[in-house]
Amino acid sequence: MTVHIVPAPAVLVEHPTAPLLLRAGTRLLTCEAGLPAAALLAEVLARATGRALEVEVAQGPVPGALRLELDGDLEPVPGGAVGDAPGLATRAQEAYRLDVDSDGLLLRARDLRGLLRGAATVRQLVELGGDGARIPAVQVEDAPHHGWRGLSIDVARHFFGPADLEPVVDLLWLYKLDVLHLHLTDDQGWRIDLPSRPELVARSSTGAVDGDPGGAFDGQTWADLVAYAADRGIVVVPEIDVPGHVNAALHACGDLVPGGEPTPEYHGIDVGFSRLTAELPATSAFLRDVFTDLAELTPGPYLHVGGDEVLTMAHEEYVDLVGQAAAAVRAADKLVVGWQEVATTSPAPGTVVQVWDLRQDPAPLVEAVQGGALVLMSPATRAYLDLKYDATTSLGLDWAGHVQVHDAYDWEPAAVLPEVPGHAVVGVEAAVFTETLRTRDDLMWMLLPRLPAIAEVGWTSPDARDWADFRRRLARHPALWSADGNAWHPSAQIDWLG
Ligand code: ACM
């Protein structure tokens, strides 16, 4: 068997008949509304095969052509977790059906996002051989299990700009993830220029951990990255972490510090020492301004308020400050996401609480869910892809142990905490904190091969997931990674085929 689609589709039938050959001049037909998916597919197939495809707005069928069709009647294959993630594409919108034989390829979906998901399957099906590029004869029916399938990247400890992040977005697309969460601020740096607070990047973006060079998004580079992701059906969720992890803000704005003196720059990797102060008059205006500006820069539905690891603050003050941040987000018509600790603040119904540390008492989370909060699962022991693979891994941290490919694969988000009802779980997000990661190669080496494992946890229903079969399929993916110039870690858990 040569077909090796990751994440595994709901239905896959491999026909023993001849494949579709991609020739010079093979046509790619679509309707006006399907053009963005057709253009993307033509681009990635040209990169993969060296052959340009002609994209045309035209109706088929045409012998030997590829066709992308929007079909409002297409019913998603049965299945799925309970409920969609509010604000993200629904299961029906991401569903697609693909039929390939030697006469042509037909990809159908209700929505452009379904065509974008199906296009990733087409890319993975392309085989390069002696007689050129071909796509095997298959039938695929597919739709996601979980609605929120994300990757969080810390661009504060080390800055990663568009040149590093666009290849990451390409990977998210290839593996049918739909959220890119960017951790934009922390003690070590402030990485997004906000029009009402230019001093934040002016004073706090030039450095990074260990004195490495910093950087920040300006309005244009940010807008371009958000658009690049949107073109691939991926929503950007930006995070400004408050009320802890704020030394970059305290270094830029002395009025946020008791006594009025800006704090020194910080380029170490300790956590938990910096904090906002509720009783200072500047604090409320700061929270309102930064989340209002961030909302202006964000077409997506969610803003992340952070809320993690505030170790030096009375609980009442924590509740007040997280509440002010969340209120500013809601006033800007956005939905609130916060790390696990915000569960202790009686979050408003609909708040997404991102679980990361299974050592924390689950009781506040259970209570928050009873109050209408939703849960996003990023348990460090499964989904923190900055943790080392094993004791020999040079990069990465190990505070929650090691995460091998099997650890990243063999779990179900809705079953992580038995106390939390599965209906409240919107999905899964991998996370990469970058204390030890400096370059695109470092980042990719931690993501590959674990990100595809998390992607299958998010997309494929638990009863259709199988480690032995995943290993077999994943073993063929290095060809895809190398074609895009991505570094990867040859984990000994997989019998790689290159
Ligand atoms: C976290 O890892 N502090 C969310």
mmCIF file of all heavy atoms in Angstrom, residues 151 153 160 163-172 175 385 389 395 432 437-452 481 484-490:
data_model
loop_
_atom_site.group_PDB
_atom_site.id
_atom_site.type_symbol
_atom_site.label_atom_id
_atom_site.label_comp_id
_atom_site.label_asym_id
_atom_site.label_seq_id
_atom_site.Cartn_x
_atom_site.Cartn_y
_atom_site.Cartn_z
ATOM 1 N N LEU A 151 -1.853 25.010 16.755
ATOM 2 C CA LEU A 151 -0.461 25.023 17.202
ATOM 3 C C LEU A 151 -0.197 26.396 17.792
ATOM 4 O O LEU A 151 -0.499 27.418 17.161
ATOM 5 C CB LEU A 151 0.502 24.795 16.023
ATOM 6 C CG LEU A 151 1.986 25.034 16.358
ATOM 7 C CD1 LEU A 151 2.498 24.013 17.368
ATOM 8 C CD2 LEU A 151 2.844 25.008 15.088
ATOM 9 N N ILE A 153 2.732 28.967 19.125
ATOM 10 C CA ILE A 153 4.177 29.217 19.046
ATOM 11 C C ILE A 153 4.512 30.454 19.865
ATOM 12 O O ILE A 153 3.869 31.514 19.726
ATOM 13 C CB ILE A 153 4.639 29.417 17.586
ATOM 14 C CG1 ILE A 153 4.296 28.182 16.765
ATOM 15 C CG2 ILE A 153 6.144 29.682 17.525
ATOM 16 C CD1 ILE A 153 4.744 28.271 15.330
ATOM 17 N N PHE A 160 10.253 34.715 16.001
ATOM 18 C CA PHE A 160 10.148 34.060 14.698
ATOM 19 C C PHE A 160 9.223 34.918 13.845
ATOM 20 O O PHE A 160 8.064 35.141 14.222
ATOM 21 C CB PHE A 160 9.598 32.635 14.843
ATOM 22 C CG PHE A 160 10.537 31.711 15.565
ATOM 23 C CD1 PHE A 160 10.536 31.633 16.951
ATOM 24 C CD2 PHE A 160 11.458 30.943 14.859
ATOM 25 C CE1 PHE A 160 11.425 30.796 17.624
ATOM 26 C CE2 PHE A 160 12.354 30.099 15.520
ATOM 27 C CZ PHE A 160 12.334 30.032 16.913
ATOM 28 N N ALA A 163 9.251 34.887 7.686
ATOM 29 C CA ALA A 163 10.054 33.932 6.898
ATOM 30 C C ALA A 163 10.118 32.569 7.594
ATOM 31 O O ALA A 163 10.205 31.537 6.932
ATOM 32 C CB ALA A 163 11.470 34.483 6.689
ATOM 33 N N ASP A 164 10.079 32.567 8.929
ATOM 34 C CA ASP A 164 10.075 31.300 9.673
ATOM 35 C C ASP A 164 8.663 30.736 9.818
ATOM 36 O O ASP A 164 8.479 29.513 9.855
ATOM 37 C CB ASP A 164 10.640 31.515 11.080
ATOM 38 C CG ASP A 164 12.079 31.983 11.059
ATOM 39 O OD1 ASP A 164 12.860 31.430 10.263
ATOM 40 O OD2 ASP A 164 12.412 32.914 11.825
ATOM 41 N N LEU A 165 7.682 31.618 9.940
ATOM 42 C CA LEU A 165 6.327 31.144 10.262
ATOM 43 C C LEU A 165 5.540 30.709 9.027
ATOM 44 O O LEU A 165 4.663 29.853 9.134
ATOM 45 C CB LEU A 165 5.561 32.208 11.044
ATOM 46 C CG LEU A 165 6.124 32.504 12.443
ATOM 47 C CD1 LEU A 165 5.290 33.568 13.140
ATOM 48 C CD2 LEU A 165 6.185 31.244 13.312
ATOM 49 N N GLU A 166 5.839 31.288 7.845
ATOM 50 C CA GLU A 166 5.085 30.833 6.662
ATOM 51 C C GLU A 166 5.288 29.337 6.402
ATOM 52 O O GLU A 166 4.305 28.615 6.149
ATOM 53 C CB GLU A 166 5.420 31.688 5.439
ATOM 54 C CG GLU A 166 4.775 33.068 5.539
ATOM 55 C CD GLU A 166 5.070 33.977 4.377
ATOM 56 O OE1 GLU A 166 5.687 33.518 3.391
ATOM 57 O OE2 GLU A 166 4.672 35.171 4.457
ATOM 58 N N PRO A 167 6.523 28.807 6.491
ATOM 59 C CA PRO A 167 6.656 27.343 6.338
ATOM 60 C C PRO A 167 5.914 26.558 7.426
ATOM 61 O O PRO A 167 5.464 25.435 7.170
ATOM 62 C CB PRO A 167 8.168 27.108 6.442
ATOM 63 C CG PRO A 167 8.802 28.422 6.171
ATOM 64 C CD PRO A 167 7.836 29.483 6.580
ATOM 65 N N VAL A 168 5.788 27.142 8.610
ATOM 66 C CA VAL A 168 5.011 26.471 9.661
ATOM 67 C C VAL A 168 3.526 26.469 9.273
ATOM 68 O O VAL A 168 2.827 25.452 9.430
ATOM 69 C CB VAL A 168 5.217 27.155 11.029
ATOM 70 C CG1 VAL A 168 4.284 26.569 12.071
ATOM 71 C CG2 VAL A 168 6.677 27.026 11.473
ATOM 72 N N VAL A 169 3.049 27.587 8.740
ATOM 73 C CA VAL A 169 1.650 27.646 8.289
ATOM 74 C C VAL A 169 1.424 26.617 7.172
ATOM 75 O O VAL A 169 0.385 25.943 7.131
ATOM 76 C CB VAL A 169 1.274 29.074 7.826
ATOM 77 C CG1 VAL A 169 -0.098 29.094 7.166
ATOM 78 C CG2 VAL A 169 1.312 30.046 9.009
ATOM 79 N N ASP A 170 2.403 26.475 6.286
ATOM 80 C CA ASP A 170 2.287 25.453 5.229
ATOM 81 C C ASP A 170 2.099 24.061 5.840
ATOM 82 O O ASP A 170 1.304 23.248 5.339
ATOM 83 C CB ASP A 170 3.538 25.435 4.343
ATOM 84 C CG ASP A 170 3.696 26.696 3.500
ATOM 85 O OD1 ASP A 170 2.717 27.460 3.373
ATOM 86 O OD2 ASP A 170 4.813 26.912 2.989
ATOM 87 N N LEU A 171 2.834 23.789 6.923
ATOM 88 C CA LEU A 171 2.696 22.496 7.603
ATOM 89 C C LEU A 171 1.325 22.342 8.243
ATOM 90 O O LEU A 171 0.728 21.265 8.198
ATOM 91 C CB LEU A 171 3.717 22.372 8.728
ATOM 92 C CG LEU A 171 5.069 21.792 8.475
ATOM 93 C CD1 LEU A 171 5.786 21.649 9.808
ATOM 94 C CD2 LEU A 171 4.959 20.435 7.794
ATOM 95 N N LEU A 172 0.838 23.432 8.873
ATOM 96 C CA LEU A 172 -0.499 23.361 9.477
ATOM 97 C C LEU A 172 -1.509 22.993 8.400
ATOM 98 O O LEU A 172 -2.388 22.148 8.610
ATOM 99 C CB LEU A 172 -0.888 24.695 10.127
ATOM 100 C CG LEU A 172 -0.020 25.227 11.267
ATOM 101 C CD1 LEU A 172 -0.673 26.424 11.924
ATOM 102 C CD2 LEU A 172 0.234 24.167 12.309
ATOM 103 N N TYR A 175 -1.376 19.326 7.288
ATOM 104 C CA TYR A 175 -1.923 18.378 8.260
ATOM 105 C C TYR A 175 -3.306 18.788 8.783
ATOM 106 O O TYR A 175 -3.752 18.300 9.824
ATOM 107 C CB TYR A 175 -0.903 18.158 9.390
ATOM 108 C CG TYR A 175 0.306 17.404 8.863
ATOM 109 C CD1 TYR A 175 1.543 18.015 8.736
ATOM 110 C CD2 TYR A 175 0.173 16.096 8.414
ATOM 111 C CE1 TYR A 175 2.628 17.325 8.194
ATOM 112 C CE2 TYR A 175 1.251 15.404 7.871
ATOM 113 C CZ TYR A 175 2.467 16.020 7.769
ATOM 114 O OH TYR A 175 3.531 15.333 7.225
ATOM 115 N N LEU A 385 5.449 20.512 22.398
ATOM 116 C CA LEU A 385 6.450 20.007 21.460
ATOM 117 C C LEU A 385 7.791 20.713 21.641
ATOM 118 O O LEU A 385 8.703 20.519 20.846
ATOM 119 C CB LEU A 385 5.924 20.114 20.027
ATOM 120 C CG LEU A 385 4.570 19.414 19.789
ATOM 121 C CD1 LEU A 385 4.215 19.406 18.308
ATOM 122 C CD2 LEU A 385 4.542 18.000 20.356
ATOM 123 N N TYR A 389 12.405 14.916 23.103
ATOM 124 C CA TYR A 389 11.905 13.594 22.704
ATOM 125 C C TYR A 389 12.335 12.536 23.733
ATOM 126 O O TYR A 389 11.559 11.673 24.124
ATOM 127 C CB TYR A 389 12.466 13.198 21.336
ATOM 128 C CG TYR A 389 11.931 13.997 20.169
ATOM 129 C CD1 TYR A 389 12.521 15.196 19.762
ATOM 130 C CD2 TYR A 389 10.831 13.539 19.445
ATOM 131 C CE1 TYR A 389 12.037 15.910 18.678
ATOM 132 C CE2 TYR A 389 10.347 14.243 18.360
ATOM 133 C CZ TYR A 389 10.946 15.433 17.981
ATOM 134 O OH TYR A 389 10.458 16.137 16.913
ATOM 135 N N LEU A 395 18.034 19.924 22.101
ATOM 136 C CA LEU A 395 17.146 21.070 22.266
ATOM 137 C C LEU A 395 16.034 20.732 23.255
ATOM 138 O O LEU A 395 15.775 19.574 23.548
ATOM 139 C CB LEU A 395 16.506 21.443 20.921
ATOM 140 C CG LEU A 395 17.456 21.877 19.805
ATOM 141 C CD1 LEU A 395 16.690 22.007 18.494
ATOM 142 C CD2 LEU A 395 18.148 23.190 20.158
ATOM 143 N N VAL A 432 4.613 25.171 21.415
ATOM 144 C CA VAL A 432 6.064 25.197 21.383
ATOM 145 C C VAL A 432 6.539 26.480 22.044
ATOM 146 O O VAL A 432 6.328 27.574 21.511
ATOM 147 C CB VAL A 432 6.612 25.174 19.932
ATOM 148 C CG1 VAL A 432 8.140 25.118 19.959
ATOM 149 C CG2 VAL A 432 6.084 23.990 19.175
ATOM 150 N N LEU A 437 14.977 27.404 21.545
ATOM 151 C CA LEU A 437 14.842 27.276 20.084
ATOM 152 C C LEU A 437 15.098 28.629 19.429
ATOM 153 O O LEU A 437 14.425 29.612 19.741
ATOM 154 C CB LEU A 437 13.444 26.765 19.719
ATOM 155 C CG LEU A 437 12.979 25.532 20.506
ATOM 156 C CD1 LEU A 437 11.569 25.130 20.098
ATOM 157 C CD2 LEU A 437 13.933 24.366 20.310
ATOM 158 N N ARG A 438 16.071 28.676 18.518
ATOM 159 C CA ARG A 438 16.506 29.953 17.947
ATOM 160 C C ARG A 438 16.186 30.099 16.464
ATOM 161 O O ARG A 438 16.085 31.208 15.966
ATOM 162 C CB ARG A 438 18.026 30.078 18.064
ATOM 163 C CG ARG A 438 18.543 30.179 19.440
ATOM 164 C CD ARG A 438 20.057 30.394 19.458
ATOM 165 N NE ARG A 438 20.460 30.881 20.763
ATOM 166 C CZ ARG A 438 20.568 30.094 21.840
ATOM 167 N NH1 ARG A 438 20.330 28.809 21.738
ATOM 168 N NH2 ARG A 438 20.904 30.604 23.003
ATOM 169 N N THR A 439 16.147 28.982 15.743
ATOM 170 C CA THR A 439 16.093 29.061 14.278
ATOM 171 C C THR A 439 14.899 28.262 13.742
ATOM 172 O O THR A 439 14.297 27.446 14.455
ATOM 173 C CB THR A 439 17.356 28.435 13.662
ATOM 174 O OG1 THR A 439 17.363 27.027 13.984
ATOM 175 C CG2 THR A 439 18.617 29.094 14.189
ATOM 176 N N ARG A 440 14.619 28.506 12.445
ATOM 177 C CA ARG A 440 13.569 27.716 11.788
ATOM 178 C C ARG A 440 13.878 26.220 11.887
ATOM 179 O O ARG A 440 12.986 25.410 12.139
ATOM 180 C CB ARG A 440 13.457 28.140 10.316
ATOM 181 C CG ARG A 440 12.560 27.228 9.509
ATOM 182 C CD ARG A 440 12.485 27.611 8.047
ATOM 183 N NE ARG A 440 11.900 26.510 7.270
ATOM 184 C CZ ARG A 440 11.819 26.486 5.964
ATOM 185 N NH1 ARG A 440 12.247 27.502 5.245
ATOM 186 N NH2 ARG A 440 11.281 25.454 5.347
ATOM 187 N N ASP A 441 15.146 25.848 11.711
ATOM 188 C CA ASP A 441 15.488 24.418 11.791
ATOM 189 C C ASP A 441 15.205 23.868 13.195
ATOM 190 O O ASP A 441 14.694 22.748 13.335
ATOM 191 C CB ASP A 441 16.967 24.192 11.446
ATOM 192 C CG ASP A 441 17.213 24.200 9.943
ATOM 193 O OD1 ASP A 441 16.237 24.328 9.177
ATOM 194 O OD2 ASP A 441 18.387 24.083 9.548
ATOM 195 N N ASP A 442 15.550 24.651 14.233
ATOM 196 C CA ASP A 442 15.253 24.204 15.606
ATOM 197 C C ASP A 442 13.756 23.935 15.761
ATOM 198 O O ASP A 442 13.329 22.916 16.319
ATOM 199 C CB ASP A 442 15.638 25.281 16.632
ATOM 200 C CG ASP A 442 17.137 25.482 16.777
ATOM 201 O OD1 ASP A 442 17.909 24.690 16.211
ATOM 202 O OD2 ASP A 442 17.518 26.457 17.470
ATOM 203 N N LEU A 443 12.969 24.901 15.277
ATOM 204 C CA LEU A 443 11.516 24.817 15.422
ATOM 205 C C LEU A 443 10.976 23.580 14.689
ATOM 206 O O LEU A 443 10.214 22.777 15.234
ATOM 207 C CB LEU A 443 10.927 26.103 14.830
ATOM 208 C CG LEU A 443 9.509 26.497 15.091
ATOM 209 C CD1 LEU A 443 9.210 26.569 16.573
ATOM 210 C CD2 LEU A 443 9.242 27.869 14.442
ATOM 211 N N MET A 444 11.404 23.419 13.421
ATOM 212 C CA MET A 444 10.906 22.308 12.622
ATOM 213 C C MET A 444 11.321 20.963 13.227
ATOM 214 O O MET A 444 10.550 20.000 13.212
ATOM 215 C CB MET A 444 11.430 22.407 11.188
ATOM 216 C CG MET A 444 10.811 23.531 10.391
ATOM 217 S SD MET A 444 9.035 23.200 10.123
ATOM 218 C CE MET A 444 8.570 24.672 9.201
ATOM 219 N N TRP A 445 12.521 20.922 13.774
ATOM 220 C CA TRP A 445 13.052 19.674 14.327
ATOM 221 C C TRP A 445 12.220 19.219 15.528
ATOM 222 O O TRP A 445 12.066 18.030 15.774
ATOM 223 C CB TRP A 445 14.506 19.928 14.725
ATOM 224 C CG TRP A 445 15.334 18.710 14.928
ATOM 225 C CD1 TRP A 445 15.959 17.967 13.967
ATOM 226 C CD2 TRP A 445 15.644 18.113 16.185
ATOM 227 N NE1 TRP A 445 16.641 16.940 14.550
ATOM 228 C CE2 TRP A 445 16.473 16.999 15.913
ATOM 229 C CE3 TRP A 445 15.321 18.401 17.502
ATOM 230 C CZ2 TRP A 445 16.967 16.172 16.907
ATOM 231 C CZ3 TRP A 445 15.821 17.589 18.503
ATOM 232 C CH2 TRP A 445 16.633 16.480 18.204
ATOM 233 N N MET A 446 11.642 20.197 16.243
ATOM 234 C CA MET A 446 10.755 19.839 17.357
ATOM 235 C C MET A 446 9.341 19.497 16.856
ATOM 236 O O MET A 446 8.639 18.663 17.429
ATOM 237 C CB MET A 446 10.683 20.986 18.370
ATOM 238 C CG MET A 446 12.008 21.315 19.041
ATOM 239 S SD MET A 446 12.841 19.898 19.785
ATOM 240 C CE MET A 446 12.429 20.096 21.526
ATOM 241 N N LEU A 447 8.902 20.163 15.779
ATOM 242 C CA LEU A 447 7.538 19.925 15.260
ATOM 243 C C LEU A 447 7.445 18.600 14.518
ATOM 244 O O LEU A 447 6.391 17.922 14.557
ATOM 245 C CB LEU A 447 7.132 21.050 14.308
ATOM 246 C CG LEU A 447 6.921 22.432 14.923
ATOM 247 C CD1 LEU A 447 6.624 23.453 13.823
ATOM 248 C CD2 LEU A 447 5.789 22.402 15.937
ATOM 249 N N LEU A 448 8.504 18.249 13.796
ATOM 250 C CA LEU A 448 8.459 17.063 12.933
ATOM 251 C C LEU A 448 9.310 15.955 13.540
ATOM 252 O O LEU A 448 10.511 16.145 13.699
ATOM 253 C CB LEU A 448 8.976 17.430 11.533
ATOM 254 C CG LEU A 448 8.098 18.459 10.808
ATOM 255 C CD1 LEU A 448 8.765 18.932 9.526
ATOM 256 C CD2 LEU A 448 6.724 17.868 10.507
ATOM 257 N N PRO A 449 8.709 14.849 13.880
ATOM 258 C CA PRO A 449 7.405 14.348 13.411
ATOM 259 C C PRO A 449 6.227 14.433 14.413
ATOM 260 O O PRO A 449 5.229 13.753 14.202
ATOM 261 C CB PRO A 449 7.709 12.868 13.160
ATOM 262 C CG PRO A 449 8.670 12.529 14.271
ATOM 263 C CD PRO A 449 9.492 13.772 14.508
ATOM 264 N N ARG A 450 6.315 15.267 15.461
ATOM 265 C CA ARG A 450 5.240 15.186 16.457
ATOM 266 C C ARG A 450 3.992 15.972 16.057
ATOM 267 O O ARG A 450 2.878 15.607 16.483
ATOM 268 C CB ARG A 450 5.758 15.657 17.824
ATOM 269 C CG ARG A 450 6.819 14.707 18.383
ATOM 270 C CD ARG A 450 7.322 15.153 19.737
ATOM 271 N NE ARG A 450 8.090 16.399 19.676
ATOM 272 C CZ ARG A 450 8.794 16.894 20.698
ATOM 273 N NH1 ARG A 450 8.838 16.243 21.852
ATOM 274 N NH2 ARG A 450 9.461 18.018 20.571
ATOM 275 N N LEU A 451 4.147 17.051 15.275
ATOM 276 C CA LEU A 451 2.950 17.818 14.905
ATOM 277 C C LEU A 451 1.938 16.971 14.120
ATOM 278 O O LEU A 451 0.731 17.043 14.382
ATOM 279 C CB LEU A 451 3.334 19.076 14.115
ATOM 280 C CG LEU A 451 2.162 20.016 13.856
ATOM 281 C CD1 LEU A 451 1.657 20.640 15.144
ATOM 282 C CD2 LEU A 451 2.537 21.099 12.854
ATOM 283 N N PRO A 452 2.391 16.134 13.148
ATOM 284 C CA PRO A 452 1.413 15.261 12.476
ATOM 285 C C PRO A 452 0.683 14.317 13.440
ATOM 286 O O PRO A 452 -0.484 13.974 13.204
ATOM 287 C CB PRO A 452 2.277 14.467 11.480
ATOM 288 C CG PRO A 452 3.494 15.302 11.258
ATOM 289 C CD PRO A 452 3.736 16.050 12.534
ATOM 290 N N TRP A 481 8.530 16.627 3.886
ATOM 291 C CA TRP A 481 9.223 17.645 4.695
ATOM 292 C C TRP A 481 10.477 18.124 3.966
ATOM 293 O O TRP A 481 10.753 19.318 3.929
ATOM 294 C CB TRP A 481 9.593 17.074 6.074
ATOM 295 C CG TRP A 481 8.411 16.463 6.765
ATOM 296 C CD1 TRP A 481 7.099 16.803 6.595
ATOM 297 C CD2 TRP A 481 8.428 15.391 7.715
ATOM 298 N NE1 TRP A 481 6.299 16.002 7.384
ATOM 299 C CE2 TRP A 481 7.089 15.139 8.086
ATOM 300 C CE3 TRP A 481 9.444 14.630 8.302
ATOM 301 C CZ2 TRP A 481 6.734 14.153 9.009
ATOM 302 C CZ3 TRP A 481 9.100 13.657 9.219
ATOM 303 C CH2 TRP A 481 7.759 13.414 9.564
ATOM 304 N N ASP A 484 10.107 20.586 1.150
ATOM 305 C CA ASP A 484 9.908 21.980 1.562
ATOM 306 C C ASP A 484 11.086 22.515 2.373
ATOM 307 O O ASP A 484 10.991 23.592 2.967
ATOM 308 C CB ASP A 484 8.605 22.107 2.381
ATOM 309 C CG ASP A 484 7.377 21.995 1.485
ATOM 310 O OD1 ASP A 484 7.514 22.237 0.264
ATOM 311 O OD2 ASP A 484 6.292 21.663 1.997
ATOM 312 N N GLY A 485 12.182 21.756 2.436
ATOM 313 C CA GLY A 485 13.382 22.249 3.121
ATOM 314 C C GLY A 485 13.267 22.257 4.639
ATOM 315 O O GLY A 485 13.949 23.035 5.312
ATOM 316 N N ASN A 486 12.403 21.396 5.189
ATOM 317 C CA ASN A 486 12.190 21.401 6.639
ATOM 318 C C ASN A 486 13.062 20.370 7.353
ATOM 319 O O ASN A 486 13.104 19.201 6.958
ATOM 320 C CB ASN A 486 10.721 21.097 6.955
ATOM 321 C CG ASN A 486 9.820 22.231 6.531
ATOM 322 O OD1 ASN A 486 10.212 23.406 6.588
ATOM 323 N ND2 ASN A 486 8.608 21.908 6.099
ATOM 324 N N ALA A 487 13.720 20.794 8.434
ATOM 325 C CA ALA A 487 14.446 19.873 9.291
ATOM 326 C C ALA A 487 13.456 18.973 10.026
ATOM 327 O O ALA A 487 12.300 19.363 10.250
ATOM 328 C CB ALA A 487 15.289 20.651 10.297
ATOM 329 N N TRP A 488 13.882 17.755 10.412
ATOM 330 C CA TRP A 488 13.009 16.860 11.172
ATOM 331 C C TRP A 488 13.863 15.905 11.999
ATOM 332 O O TRP A 488 15.016 15.666 11.695
ATOM 333 C CB TRP A 488 12.047 16.094 10.260
ATOM 334 C CG TRP A 488 12.716 15.260 9.215
ATOM 335 C CD1 TRP A 488 13.270 15.709 8.049
ATOM 336 C CD2 TRP A 488 12.908 13.841 9.236
ATOM 337 N NE1 TRP A 488 13.807 14.653 7.343
ATOM 338 C CE2 TRP A 488 13.593 13.495 8.044
ATOM 339 C CE3 TRP A 488 12.560 12.834 10.130
ATOM 340 C CZ2 TRP A 488 13.934 12.188 7.736
ATOM 341 C CZ3 TRP A 488 12.908 11.520 9.821
ATOM 342 C CH2 TRP A 488 13.583 11.210 8.631
ATOM 343 N N HIS A 489 13.239 15.369 13.031
ATOM 344 C CA HIS A 489 13.954 14.504 13.963
ATOM 345 C C HIS A 489 13.658 13.035 13.639
ATOM 346 O O HIS A 489 12.499 12.622 13.693
ATOM 347 C CB HIS A 489 13.500 14.806 15.397
ATOM 348 C CG HIS A 489 13.962 13.804 16.382
ATOM 349 N ND1 HIS A 489 15.300 13.622 16.677
ATOM 350 C CD2 HIS A 489 13.295 12.903 17.151
ATOM 351 C CE1 HIS A 489 15.420 12.660 17.575
ATOM 352 N NE2 HIS A 489 14.227 12.202 17.883
ATOM 353 N N PRO A 490 14.664 12.249 13.306
ATOM 354 C CA PRO A 490 14.422 10.837 12.938
ATOM 355 C C PRO A 490 14.197 9.972 14.177
ATOM 356 O O PRO A 490 15.022 9.129 14.518
ATOM 357 C CB PRO A 490 15.677 10.453 12.184
ATOM 358 C CG PRO A 490 16.751 11.339 12.739
ATOM 359 C CD PRO A 490 16.094 12.615 13.151
#
